[in-house]
Amino acid sequence: MNKNILSFGLFVSLALSSCSAKLVSIVDKTDEQIKTTYQVKKDVPYGTDKEQTMDIYMSASANKLKNKNFTIVFLHGGGYYVSDKSNEERYIQPYLKKGLNVVNMNYRLKRGIPIATEDLTNALNFLKANHATYQLNLDRVILTGFSAGAHIASMVAATANDPAYPNKLDSGIKIAGVINFSGPVDGLDVVEQVFTSNEVPIMKEIGIALFPSADFASKETVAKYEPITYFDKNDPPFFLWHGGKDDQVPASTFEKFVVLLNKDPNKNVVLFLPEGLHSPSANELTSAYEKIFVFLDKQ
């Protein structure tokens, strides 16, 4: 009898220890600790185009996180037209402080949304094919980004279980969640109009380049690149941040998608800031990450 009780107690202890990691309770690493924790590979090519590169941050402590050993894949913003992975590293710093593996990637610019949305799939498939080299946990991938990058992340997540979608993730890649900062999920035609009607030249250029083959893309064309088109209950959990005063991706374009997310509030999180702009302030970002780690601890 006592032997059975002892065996059961050992089983419970082992079970709890295997899933005990909580990201919210991990003390943030200092800059010096980050340097000693990570092996960093800069500008790793995942395709033949010079813009198809990524920085890979491989953590020596990631395996200790057990079921929270996520691989974070981040994509920068810039309207699919400008910017670079080095410009938005503030979005990956919170993950590095927790000791998570991180991929910060570039993608092809100035060739429109259809081309840009292919590259996250290309990068993930590259990581799968080269798992022996980089040894990232691709069973627990978190896709995240800001603006255009968040749109791409949301597209790949929402289409992963759609057999008709042409860009396929290789077997063994599993999306555990999406963290979207101000990325279009619906109403790309509205976003196109916002940019093309802007008096600032670079903004107008971005708008014209979104769908290069047409003056204004048809709703049918636009719908192919809207995550809401593919969204269903089997998609991974979403964390969505957006601002009520966003002048690039209007708050109105999120409304239908938010309704869908809120059908399962235990699964999805919507963080709407009525006074928020397109890009979160430093304080808003800090507050968001406090909630993001709570969100990740549920996955």
Side-chain angles (χ1 to χ4, degrees):
M1 178 69 173
N2 288 341
K3 187 176 181 180
N4 289 339
I5 292 173
L6 187 62
S7 297
F8 178 74
L10 181 60
F11 170 79
V12 170
S13 177
L14 289 171
L16 289 174
S17 66
S18 68
C19 61
S20 58
K22 290 287 185 183
L23 296 174
V24 293
S25 62
I26 295 174
V27 176
D28 285 352
K29 296 181 183 300
T30 64
D31 290 345
E32 190 59 36
Q33 288 172 327
I34 289 174
K35 289 179 183 178
T36 59
T37 297
Y38 284 91
Q39 179 184 6
V40 183
K41 300 289 187 180
K42 290 279 190 176
D43 297 318
V44 175
Y46 64 86
T48 57
D49 191 282
K50 65 179 181 179
E51 292 181 322
Q52 291 176 308
T53 63
M54 54 187 169
D55 299 340
I56 304 176
Y57 297 76
M58 294 177 288
S59 169
S61 61
N63 286 336
K64 297 177 183 178
L65 298 173
K66 297 173 183 174
N67 70 327
K68 297 300 181 291
N69 180 15
F70 299 109
T71 295
I72 308 295
V73 182
F74 177 81
L75 298 91
H76 67 81
Y80 323 88
Y81 198 81
V82 295
S83 199
D84 180 86
K85 54 186 168 56
S86 63
N87 293 340
E88 292 172 8
E89 292 183 345
R90 68 178 185 139
Y91 287 97
I92 67 170
Q93 284 300 315
Y95 303 115
L96 299 178
K97 290 178 179 179
K98 298 295 185 183
L100 290 158
N101 289 316
V102 175
V103 176
N104 186 19
M105 60 172 284
N106 278 343
Y107 48 93
R108 287 171 290 176
L109 301 174
K110 296 187 179 180
R111 280 164 270 191
I113 286 176
I115 293 295
T117 53
E118 295 176 2
D119 275 350
L120 176 52
T121 300
N122 293 334
L124 290 169
N125 289 345
F126 170 88
L127 291 171
K128 179 63 179 177
N130 293 274
H131 182 260
T133 301
Y134 302 108
Q135 298 186 353
L136 303 176
N137 182 13
L138 299 180
D139 286 329
R140 304 278 281 160
V141 177
I142 302 295
L143 301 181
T144 179
F146 166 64
S147 195
H151 164 248
I152 296 169
S154 300
M155 272 292 294
V156 170
T159 58
N161 63 4
D162 188 328
Y165 193 72
N167 301 322
K168 304 292 186 187
L169 289 173
D170 289 344
S171 176
I173 302 171
K174 297 179 182 177
I175 310 305
V178 182
I179 299 168
N180 177 325
F181 283 95
S182 304
V185 290
D186 188 13
L188 277 175
D189 53 337
V190 175
V191 175
E192 186 181 28
Q193 290 279 0
V194 167
F195 276 87
T196 55
S197 62
N198 198 296
E199 294 181 358
V200 178
I202 185 64
M203 300 292 278
K204 186 181 290 290
E205 289 175 24
I206 289 172
I208 293 170
L210 293 179
F211 295 97
S213 61
D215 291 336
F216 285 101
S218 68
K219 187 60 182 174
E220 181 181 7
T221 297
V222 163
K224 293 178 183 178
Y225 300 98
E226 293 175 337
I228 196 170
T229 301
Y230 307 93
F231 184 84
D232 62 43
K233 65 179 182 179
N234 297 317
D235 287 338
F238 271 76
F239 184 105
L240 173 64
W241 185 101
H242 73 112
K245 294 188 176 179
D246 190 331
D247 61 352
Q248 297 181 38
V249 185
S252 60
T253 65
F254 291 96
E255 290 175 356
K256 293 178 182 178
F257 196 74
V258 166
V259 170
L260 295 176
L261 294 184
N262 284 339
K263 287 183 178 180
D264 192 348
N266 292 321
K267 174 181 177 181
N268 305 303
V269 175
V270 177
L271 185 54
F272 172 62
L273 278 65
E275 299 300 312
L277 304 177
H278 182 61
S279 178
S281 68
N283 287 338
E284 289 168 348
L285 200 64
T286 298
S287 178
Y289 274 99
E290 291 173 358
K291 297 174 177 63
I292 285 168
F293 287 121
V294 173
F295 168 79
L296 291 177
D297 278 334
K298 292 169 61 177
Q299 310 315 320

